[in-house]
Amino acid sequence: MKRNTNYDNLEQSYLFSIIGKKVNEYKKQNPDKKIIRLGIGDVTKPLCPSVINAMHKAVDEMGVQETFRGYGPEQGYDFLRTAVQNYYKNFSVNLDLPEIFISDGAKSDLGNILDLFDKNNTVLVPDPVYPVYVDTNIMAGRVVKFVNAKVENNFLPMPDNNVKADIIYICSPNNPTGAAYNREQLKEWVKYSLKNGAVILYDAAYEAFIEDNTIPHSIFEIEGAKNCAIEFCSLSKTAGFTGTRCGYTIVPETIGKLNKMWVRRQTTKFNGVPYIVQRGAEAVFTEQGQKEIKINIDYYKKNAKIISDTLAELGIWHVGGKHSPYIWLKCPNNMKSWEFFDYLLNNAQVVGTPGVGFGINGEGFFRLTSFGSYENTLEAMERFKKLF
Ligand code: PLP
């Protein structure tokens, strides 16, 4: 046996364990202080009533001979694929059912999709970045190049025709920065991709936070994208499915052989998402379900606005917070990311995520999230106001 030594090339990710350790230490020494966590990337609001009702009904069906279901279609049940198809019509994107694949979340498919690509492809990822894009490629032994996201480009890097890439990752609205590409910017990426024969792996996990039509919800809103892009989406942040697990991946039939290959891959290695979960997901796309999830998204967005408005008032440079639950700020007084983490914990008892944990361009930056409670977000911002 020879093991996959590419794993030796992975950076050990200590980010969240160091944060946990530092917070626990502080708590031990200051048991009476109230710590507010604005670093969480998980949702906190429960599933909405439509989803719960649909899943209860599906559970009952599973206990009755006539409606019991065993293995489902690997690509997902047609009732859910049709719901996704109709959802995309809101953005004037027409999809055929064979292009829609139901997944157990975006993270799995972002990793699994790499089965379709040659080991020698060059990969382009933004820095800072959602670490899954980098690590899944390092595990497969691919060369990863970085494109710099920085203040000068508002953390929205654009293609460079001198850089050759085969696989391009775009996440918009972005984790960790909260920045979102507009239509014109995405057109440039599609143009670059078509010119270079590259594929864009488009992560739309946060599309439900988009506020107006200046920001596309889907890469397929851009002409030509169906010839060069694959899109990943998730109900995790949209509808609180982080623990329930359901998402969808769009592989156009017009992108060479990739659609057929993905069918082959999924039918070989995947046995589908549970029927009960798919019924819950279907409920998200009903009129009532959309109303209910909007209440939760609006709650998070209100928190994001409080954070963003406070930072603006204090003159602290930041992006995100508008079409996204994330706010990415420049650490005041030129502090480094971890220095600011310690300063904030010790002086305001607020916990966030050091930007350097997402890539070298994140040094000197910091991520706050809006997934906490309204009251805590408000209190955290009051503490900011006293500090800066
Ligand atoms: N993509 C991005 C950019 C994310 O931030 C996350 C989760 O935090 C995911 C994908 C994973 O989503 P899922 O829960 O659907 O696997």
Side-chain angles (χ1 to χ4, degrees):
M1 183 280 283
K2 281 198 187 117
R3 65 185 181 85
N4 180 352
T5 51
N6 293 322
Y7 278 64
D8 299 342
N9 301 327
L10 292 168
E11 283 213 21
Q12 295 302 325
S13 175
Y14 295 122
L15 180 65
F16 289 99
S17 67
I18 297 175
I19 292 174
K21 238 188 227 161
K22 279 179 181 271
V23 173
N24 285 340
E25 201 105 312
Y26 183 84
K27 260 198 215 157
K28 235 191 254 166
Q29 281 163 19
N30 304 275
D32 50 333
K33 294 265 204 253
K34 180 187 166 192
I35 293 173
I36 299 180
R37 289 176 180 272
L38 291 189
I40 35 173
D42 199 354
V43 292
T44 49
K45 290 273 162 204
L47 294 172
C48 64
S50 294
V51 170
I52 294 298
N53 290 339
M55 290 206 289
H56 277 162
K57 193 164 160 257
V59 168
D60 289 341
E61 284 177 39
M62 293 297 269
V64 176
Q65 185 66 64
E66 288 70 28
T67 49
F68 166 76
R69 313 260 181 152
Y71 289 124
E74 290 91 345
Q75 297 93 326
Y77 285 102
D78 277 357
F79 63 77
L80 181 53
R81 298 167 92 195
T82 307
V84 172
Q85 185 184 44
N86 288 332
Y87 182 67
Y88 270 84
K89 285 182 188 156
N90 295 330
F91 322 129
S92 305
V93 172
N94 289 315
L95 299 175
D96 290 327
L97 280 199
E99 298 179 312
I100 302 168
F101 297 82
I102 304 305
S103 72
D104 61 351
K107 191 184 195 171
S108 326
D109 273 8
L110 280 160
N112 296 337
I113 200 78
L114 296 179
D115 276 7
L116 310 192
F117 304 115
D118 189 273
K119 183 177 164 296
N120 294 316
N121 281 316
T122 298
V123 180
L124 194 65
V125 295
D127 173 357
V129 68
Y130 176 56
V132 171
Y133 312 152
V134 178
D135 290 352
T136 49
N137 279 292
I138 289 179
M139 286 171 182
R142 280 195 198 87
V143 176
V144 177
K145 286 185 189 169
F146 292 95
V147 52
N148 292 321
K150 47 193 179 181
V151 171
E152 290 73 25
N153 55 28
N154 264 321
F155 282 87
L156 293 168
M158 296 305 294
D160 176 349
N161 282 317
N162 298 317
V163 176
K164 169 92 182 74
D166 306 302
I167 301 173
I168 300 157
Y169 286 85
I170 298 179
C171 176
S172 177
N174 189 272
N175 178 17
T177 68
Y181 282 109
N182 66 28
R183 216 165 290 279
E184 293 310 309
Q185 291 167 323
L186 285 180
K187 272 186 196 166
E188 289 299 311
W189 275 111
V190 168
K191 199 165 121 192
Y192 169 90
S193 178
L194 289 170
K195 192 170 148 212
N196 286 280
V199 64
I200 294 174
L201 302 181
Y202 193 79
D203 187 341
Y206 296 94
E207 64 81 22
F209 288 79
I210 291 171
E211 285 178 20
D212 56 52
N213 64 9
T214 58
I215 307 294
H217 286 254
S218 163
I219 186 76
F220 301 122
E221 292 179 48
I222 309 299
E223 201 185 327
K226 268 195 138 189
N227 296 317
C228 68
I230 293 175
E231 181 159 293
F232 304 85
C233 205
S234 166
L235 295 181
S236 282
K237 310 297 160 88
T238 302
F241 270 57
T242 49
T244 307
R245 312 301 307 146
C246 195
Y248 42 96
T249 298
I250 312 299
V251 188
E253 288 182 299
T254 39
I255 181 169
K257 292 187 172 169
L258 294 180
N259 177 283
K260 292 280 170 296
M261 286 169 70
W262 185 241
V263 173
R264 189 71 174 88
R265 192 263 171 218
Q266 291 298 79
T267 49
T268 304
K269 294 197 186 180
F270 186 56
N271 252 340
V273 176
Y275 173 69
I276 297 161
V277 171
Q278 291 196 55
R279 279 296 184 198
E282 181 192 22
V284 170
F285 294 104
T286 60
E287 205 181 325
Q288 180 60 22
Q290 289 288 300
K291 267 191 209 151
E292 290 170 2
I293 62 159
K294 192 171 180 304
I295 295 170
N296 290 348
I297 292 172
D298 284 350
Y299 180 93
Y300 299 136
K301 285 212 299 210
K302 192 167 149 195
N303 288 346
K305 187 164 173 4
I306 291 169
I307 298 173
S308 178
D309 286 352
T310 307
L311 296 178
E313 200 182 313
L314 297 173
I316 298 174
W317 190 95
H318 65 284
V319 284
K322 189 162 163 58
H323 304 286
S324 160
Y326 299 117
I327 296 97
W328 181 255
L329 61 106
K330 181 156 174 22
C331 302
N333 306 322
N334 287 324
M335 274 188 258
K336 295 202 160 198
S337 297
W338 279 109
E339 197 186 344
F340 183 63
F341 177 92
D342 291 332
Y343 181 79
L344 211 52
L345 178 61
N346 288 311
N347 295 289
Q349 294 77 49
V350 173
V351 178
T353 313
V356 71
F358 299 101
I360 39 176
N361 284 334
E363 180 58 286
F365 291 85
F366 204 72
R367 190 190 77 172
L368 295 176
T369 84
S370 62
F371 289 124
S373 74
Y374 170 71
E375 292 73 20
N376 279 348
T377 306
L378 212 54
E379 191 178 334
M381 289 304 104
E382 287 310 316
R383 293 182 191 179
F384 260 64
K385 281 183 196 167
K386 284 194 194 126
L387 214 52
F388 302 110

